[in-house]
Amino acid sequence: MTTISPTRVSMYDFLYHDTQPMLSLLADAAQLSLPQARLGTDASLQAIVSALLAYQQRHQGQAISKKLFSRSAVKELRQYNSMNFATISSTLYHRHDAADAVFSDNSRVVKASEHIAEKIDATTQQTQILLTSLCVIVLRELAILTEYSQLDSDEINKWFALQPQFLSAARFDSQLTHTSSAETESNSDAPKSTTEAVDNIEAIENNSESNVERTLLNTEQLSSTPPSFDPYWYELTGFKPENYEPVQDMQMATGNYLKAIGRSPDNLQQGRHNDMLVFTEMHAVVLPHQRWLLQLAKISDIYLSRNRLRVNSEPANPPKPPLVSLGLIGGNNDNTPTTTSEKPIEYEASTPLWKNPVILIIILVVGILGTLATLKYQSQKSDGVTLATEEVLEQDAIDERQQQDVAIVMVDEDEPDVAETEKAE
């Protein structure tokens, strides 16, 4: 059985990890130091996530998909496959329109910038550049995530409805308590006295590598957890969290889910269906085991592993959407069992040449034009023969008339010439 963290479907956690590689570009664009940019980015992400939740609460998921994720700024930014100066230039160009669309009011953008500026000791203009630029990047990343996961409007609404539990104070308090208890247990192994310390020098030296690894692990866990959410952003954006009633017994719900899709513990012990993907337990956060949500979590995990927002030159070929095994997710929407093997990609067969409508239209047009040209040629040819025949007949008629016009005159020799008669007179 494969487990995945519920935070993989958290917008706040996803964006927190996703935007870390481009911190230097954001700091340069807003003219902030790296510590200021880090703190300002965390606060800006909280404000943007809260504004998106408020937008969904007012307009629902279909408006988010059509009016936010399908904006021209998002489409233009998605032409780039990595973060570089061309991407930042496009982000700075569209940042005002995107921020006004997300926050629904420019005055809220100004108030949010002023609040962040007080926290990081910067000017309002600097934090406004950072906040508005992140609006475009957040829309781009969430649009890619929803497209790769093939979420419809109803699933987007359900996804947004799950977000407040990731921002609740109970979740961050439980993580802080867990971290403190882990540090207490690690410190309990320390020597209680100087004598014990001297006796354990060799053991400490032998276990130096394990201590270093433990320290690095604790540091990685601390850095992987975003800072606690500030409820001020709910007041600024006008978002009203609704009471979400999670399943009380998570183990029972998981057991019923596995039984419904034919993947009970008995099958797991027999070595079958051992690639089932389920959510791990998390205090104050409970997610339903639905296929689309598991697919979203897996694609989010793959997307974060690709580190798409790293500063890099533009690759030659654009990346392809990740392919998630249906057997790994398990079950369809109606909880019917699926095979564990990866379903091969079925490509559409190429259309035969004689069935191509474009080719058929071209052949039809050429045939009609050829037929018209042939008919015109035959008509002109027949007209030429007729004219030649008429000319020959007319010439024969002229010759015949000339022959008929010749007069035969008979002269009487006995009568004297008229001229001579007149002369004699």
Side-chain angles (χ1 to χ4, degrees), residues 32 36 39-41 43-44 109-131 232-233:
L32 296 171
Q36 285 178 319
L39 296 176
T41 300
S44 299
V109 179
V110 176
K111 291 181 180 179
S113 303
E114 293 175 352
H115 184 74
I116 298 173
E118 294 177 359
K119 283 189 172 183
I120 65 175
D121 192 18
T123 63
T124 304
Q125 184 179 2
Q126 290 175 321
T127 55
Q128 188 173 1
I129 294 174
L130 180 64
L131 176 64
Y232 167 79
W233 301 118

Side-chain angles (χ1 to χ4, degrees), residues 82-348:
S82 61
M83 299 308 296
N84 44 45
F85 292 108
T87 313
I88 289 295
S89 177
S90 177
T91 302
L92 295 176
Y93 179 78
H94 295 287
R95 61 188 180 91
H96 291 293
D97 295 337
D100 292 342
V102 172
F103 286 89
S104 302
D105 190 0
N106 188 35
S107 61
R108 292 177 180 173
V109 179
V110 176
K111 291 181 180 179
S113 303
E114 293 175 352
H115 184 74
I116 298 173
E118 294 177 359
K119 283 189 172 183
I120 65 175
D121 192 18
T123 63
T124 304
Q125 184 179 2
Q126 290 175 321
T127 55
Q128 188 173 1
I129 294 174
L130 180 64
L131 176 64
T132 53
S133 300
L134 278 172
C135 284
V136 187
I137 298 172
V138 165
L139 292 181
R140 172 190 186 264
E141 296 303 291
L142 294 182
I144 294 175
L145 194 60
T146 54
E147 180 183 349
Y148 285 0
S149 304
Q150 299 179 355
L151 301 184
D152 56 17
S153 300
D154 183 55
E155 292 168 348
I156 290 177
N157 288 328
K158 294 179 180 179
W159 182 33
F160 274 74
L162 296 173
Q163 298 307 312
Q165 59 181 330
F166 292 103
L167 308 177
S168 62
R171 176 224 166 172
F172 294 101
D173 293 340
S174 64
Q175 289 181 348
L176 184 61
T177 303
H178 178 73
T179 305
S180 301
S181 61
E183 292 179 353
T184 303
E185 292 177 359
S186 63
N187 292 334
S188 63
D189 297 335
K192 299 292 191 319
S193 62
T194 307
T195 305
E196 293 178 355
V198 174
D199 295 338
N200 293 332
I201 289 178
E202 294 182 359
I204 293 175
E205 290 178 353
N206 294 332
N207 296 330
S208 60
E209 293 183 359
S210 62
N211 292 333
V212 171
E213 292 178 357
R214 183 183 302 173
T215 304
L216 292 175
L217 180 61
N218 293 334
T219 305
E220 183 179 357
Q221 291 177 350
L222 290 174
S223 63
S224 63
T225 304
S228 58
F229 186 81
D230 188 1
Y232 167 79
W233 301 118
Y234 286 164
E235 301 176 4
L236 178 65
T237 57
F239 175 68
K240 298 179 180 179
E242 299 177 356
N243 294 328
Y244 178 73
E245 297 180 359
V247 181
Q248 299 297 329
D249 191 352
M250 192 62 188
Q251 293 182 354
M252 182 181 296
T254 304
N256 294 335
Y257 172 76
L258 295 176
K259 184 178 179 180
I261 64 175
R263 297 178 185 237
S264 62
D266 297 336
N267 293 332
L268 294 176
Q269 293 176 0
Q270 296 175 4
R272 293 179 297 176
H273 308 304
N274 55 355
D275 59 346
M276 180 61 192
L277 181 67
V278 295
F279 287 114
T280 57
E281 295 185 6
M282 186 175 180
H283 182 71
V285 173
V286 177
L287 298 179
H289 285 77
Q290 296 183 3
R291 179 182 177 275
W292 67 269
L293 196 60
L294 290 167
Q295 184 173 0
L296 175 64
K298 187 59 181 178
I299 290 179
S300 174
D301 186 69
I302 296 173
Y303 190 87
L304 290 177
S305 65
R306 289 180 175 180
N307 207 11
R308 284 283 299 273
L309 290 186
R310 65 184 182 275
V311 180
N312 197 3
S313 59
E314 194 71 15
N317 299 322
K320 298 180 180 180
L323 181 63
V324 180
S325 173
L326 297 180
L328 180 65
I329 296 176
N332 298 324
N333 294 330
D334 55 354
N335 289 337
T336 56
T338 57
T339 58
T340 58
S341 60
E342 186 70 51
K343 183 179 179 181
I345 301 176
E346 298 179 357
Y347 297 96
E348 296 182 357

